[in-house]
Amino acid sequence: MTIELYYWLGLPGRGEYARLVLEAAGAPYREMAQLSSEEGGGMDAMMGWLDGRQGPFIPFAPPFLKDGEVVVSQAGLIAAYLGEKLGLAPQNEAERHFARSVALTTADFVAEVHNVHHPIATGLYYDDQKEEARRNAEQFRAERMPKFLGWYERLITANPAGAGFLVGGRMSYADLGLFQTVEGLNYAFPRRMETLGKTVPRVVSLCRRIAAEPMVKRYLESERRQPFNEDGIFRHYPELDGA
Amino acid sequence: MTIELYYWLGLPGRGEYARLVLEAAGAPYREMAQLSSEEGGGMDAMMGWLDGRQGPFIPFAPPFLKDGEVVVSQAGLIAAYLGEKLGLAPQNEAERHFARSVALTTADFVAEVHNVHHPIATGLYYDDQKEEARRNAEQFRAERMPKFLGWYERLITANPAGAGFLVGGRMSYADLGLFQTVEGLNYAFPRRMETLGKTVPRVVSLCRRIAAEPMVKRYLESERRQPFNEDGIFRHYPELDGA
């Protein structure tokens, strides 16, 4: 049965963390919200899950995934589920567990990125919380970005496999999650990333290698890859950026 | 080998989501930061993990857990790992995956609780962001609390096992996570919870039953159970509460 991915239309968002694993593995999947109702998809099909019409496994929010009887929500967990199923996860048990921890920490980092432009309320517009966003962005650039990116750098450095990945000796969903996050940060905070990138050369190198992986490259060059925009998590508001 | 739990001293915090599963299962564990260095614990032992002296599995932040060769961080993931290992998780594969999704959504809810009193920066004091916290709390009480609590209520209602739990027919780590979160909300937002509790009777009933479970009850009455306080995630600032 083909894997079904449910996510909002018009932004890469958290759905991209699932999509990248599916694409890197070359797995067939159906992007449900983009399909018509005749094809079993559409927004109403997605909302049917969220309001309980589709069964007792009610996700709190997109993205979520249906694979046969299994329903998984939460971007980091979906990536882990797919990575482990599709061969993009470490084999060793301890590494498998730690890769999950890394992917979920990335999900926390992404939530902090969202809080930068929506520190007061997700339900309010950015314009209604611009001044607070400016203050949040200051500490995010000064403290949180170096802390998270420095942590990834240390993981790569400490990884005994020595192959330049976060966990284990080959590319996993944890690496793909870092890649997407760094891409998003490059879009949202280009000035900050230019200075910060120099301090995390292993992270930069890993992201470059991931972009060049044949399956990933093919996806990034396809029409399926959606650009970042100011409806998503990673938003480029120049007033929130700074070296 | 005894499970080792690492968490900050002096607050229940996110460590409590792991502790409750260990206690409900009656599993032996060592609370590492509370031990002396002679016993292999203490703050330096915990910091050793965070700065990479203990090996390549470097957690981003406490809580984290060591079980033999396995290192797991992220509160929701730790709870899932422990629940699945210790018999406090659904048996059925689809339910096991969905329980993980629920526990991680609870972790997101907890992160939003923290953002209420620290909307601008975790590194600043509450007093430096009081006005922003007041604005954040307004939307949190009006929109986010009913949305999350209503979702748990719908999960219990829709659960085909009909036994009043979130997933499956018996208590799991997902239920324990909800219990701890509701306890925290009762502490932090007593006025809001008094009105909101009436709208989620199944959630209230589940939390009452969990508190009465013999193993949980014994733990809650023990000295090991730490009270909430204003250093933690759930803080009682009367100015942020309201019916």
Side-chain angles (χ1 to χ4, degrees):
Chain A
M1 186 170 282
T2 305
I3 292 169
E4 298 180 352
L5 176 63
Y6 291 82
Y7 195 62
W8 305 115
L9 299 174
L11 67 164
R14 290 183 169 91
E16 198 66 12
Y17 291 84
R19 234 172 257 129
L20 268 170
V21 185
L22 289 160
E23 295 280 354
Y29 67 102
R30 306 211 310 156
E31 186 83 57
M32 299 305 286
Q34 294 176 14
L35 298 180
S36 67
S37 58
E38 288 73 31
E39 298 167 297
M43 282 304 281
D44 189 59
M46 184 163 92
M47 298 316 290
W49 279 100
L50 297 176
D51 63 22
R53 276 179 282 140
Q54 297 277 13
F57 293 151
I58 307 170
F60 182 75
F64 57 93
L65 166 149
K66 184 172 179 298
D67 181 22
E69 296 299 305
V70 170
V71 176
V72 185
S73 73
Q74 292 282 328
L77 201 55
I78 296 170
Y81 175 84
L82 291 171
E84 292 176 16
K85 181 188 172 97
L86 302 172
L88 286 171
Q91 294 296 313
N92 166 299
E93 198 207 343
E95 288 176 348
R96 278 173 100 86
H97 281 290
F98 191 65
R100 293 183 190 172
S101 306
V102 172
L104 288 169
T105 304
T106 299
D108 278 0
F109 189 17
V110 171
E112 291 197 23
V113 172
H114 185 267
N115 284 345
V116 169
H117 49 77
H118 278 77
I120 300 301
T122 300
L124 292 176
Y125 291 109
Y126 168 61
D127 277 345
D128 297 326
Q129 45 198 316
K130 262 180 109 159
E131 176 52 25
E132 295 87 349
R134 193 192 56 71
R135 283 185 68 199
N136 189 305
E138 257 175 43
Q139 62 84 36
F140 183 75
R141 295 195 312 270
E143 289 165 36
R144 305 303 283 174
M145 285 175 72
K147 181 163 176 172
F148 276 100
L149 292 172
W151 173 69
Y152 294 113
E153 183 80 6
R154 285 193 295 142
L155 289 185
I156 300 170
T157 308
N159 183 346
F165 299 105
L166 291 167
V167 191
R170 47 178 207 167
M171 184 177 78
S172 75
Y173 65 91
D175 300 304
L176 289 165
L178 171 60
F179 166 77
Q180 177 61 14
T181 305
V182 167
E183 288 285 294
L185 293 170
N186 283 335
Y187 174 81
F189 302 97
R191 292 176 58 202
R192 183 63 182 128
M193 286 300 278
E194 192 172 333
T195 52
L196 210 46
K198 291 169 194 151
T199 67
V200 290
R202 290 173 184 83
V203 167
V204 171
S205 160
L206 172 55
C207 292
R208 206 170 283 149
R209 269 155 38 229
I210 289 175
E213 281 276 323
M215 295 297 282
V216 175
K217 185 166 190 286
R218 198 180 67 171
Y219 168 61
L220 297 179
E221 289 168 355
S222 77
E223 289 192 354
R224 298 189 302 285
R225 172 73 167 183
Q226 300 174 59
F228 293 107
N229 63 47
E230 281 59 53
D231 292 325
I233 295 165
F234 296 99
R235 303 186 183 189
H236 181 51
Y237 294 132
E239 64 272 25
L240 301 184
D241 192 15
Chain B
M1 187 171 281
T2 305
I3 292 168
E4 299 181 352
L5 176 64
Y6 291 83
Y7 195 62
W8 305 114
L9 299 173
L11 67 164
R14 290 184 169 91
E16 199 66 11
Y17 291 83
R19 237 172 253 129
L20 268 170
V21 185
L22 290 160
E23 294 280 354
Y29 67 100
R30 306 211 310 156
E31 185 85 58
M32 300 306 287
Q34 294 176 14
L35 299 180
S36 67
S37 57
E38 288 73 30
E39 298 167 296
M43 283 303 283
D44 189 58
M46 184 162 93
M47 299 316 290
W49 280 99
L50 298 175
D51 63 23
R53 276 179 283 140
Q54 297 277 11
F57 294 151
I58 306 170
F60 182 75
F64 58 93
L65 166 149
K66 186 173 178 297
D67 182 22
E69 297 300 305
V70 171
V71 175
V72 186
S73 73
Q74 292 282 328
L77 200 56
I78 296 170
Y81 174 84
L82 291 171
E84 292 176 16
K85 181 187 171 101
L86 301 171
L88 286 170
Q91 293 294 313
N92 165 299
E93 198 208 345
E95 288 177 348
R96 278 173 100 85
H97 281 290
F98 191 66
R100 292 183 191 172
S101 305
V102 172
L104 288 170
T105 303
T106 299
D108 277 359
F109 189 16
V110 171
E112 291 196 23
V113 173
H114 186 266
N115 283 347
V116 169
H117 50 76
H118 279 76
I120 300 299
T122 300
L124 291 176
Y125 290 110
Y126 168 62
D127 278 344
D128 297 324
Q129 47 197 315
K130 260 181 114 160
E131 176 52 25
E132 294 87 350
R134 193 192 56 70
R135 283 186 70 199
N136 190 305
E138 257 175 43
Q139 63 83 36
F140 183 74
R141 293 195 314 270
E143 288 165 35
R144 303 305 284 174
M145 286 175 72
K147 180 162 177 171
F148 276 101
L149 292 172
W151 173 70
Y152 293 114
E153 183 79 7
R154 285 194 296 140
L155 288 185
I156 300 171
T157 308
N159 183 345
F165 298 106
L166 292 168
V167 190
R170 47 179 207 169
M171 184 176 80
S172 75
Y173 65 91
D175 300 304
L176 289 165
L178 171 60
F179 167 77
Q180 177 61 13
T181 305
V182 167
E183 288 284 296
L185 293 170
N186 283 335
Y187 174 81
F189 302 97
R191 292 176 58 204
R192 183 64 182 128
M193 286 300 278
E194 193 171 331
T195 52
L196 210 47
K198 291 169 193 150
T199 67
V200 289
R202 290 173 184 83
V203 167
V204 171
S205 160
L206 172 55
C207 291
R208 207 171 280 147
R209 271 157 36 232
I210 288 175
E213 281 275 324
M215 295 298 282
V216 175
K217 186 167 190 287
R218 196 180 68 170
Y219 168 60
L220 296 178
E221 289 168 355
S222 77
E223 289 191 356
R224 296 188 302 284
R225 172 74 166 180
Q226 300 175 56
F228 292 106
N229 64 47
E230 281 57 53
D231 292 325
I233 294 165
F234 296 99
R235 303 187 182 189
H236 181 51
Y237 294 132
E239 64 273 23
L240 302 185
D241 192 14

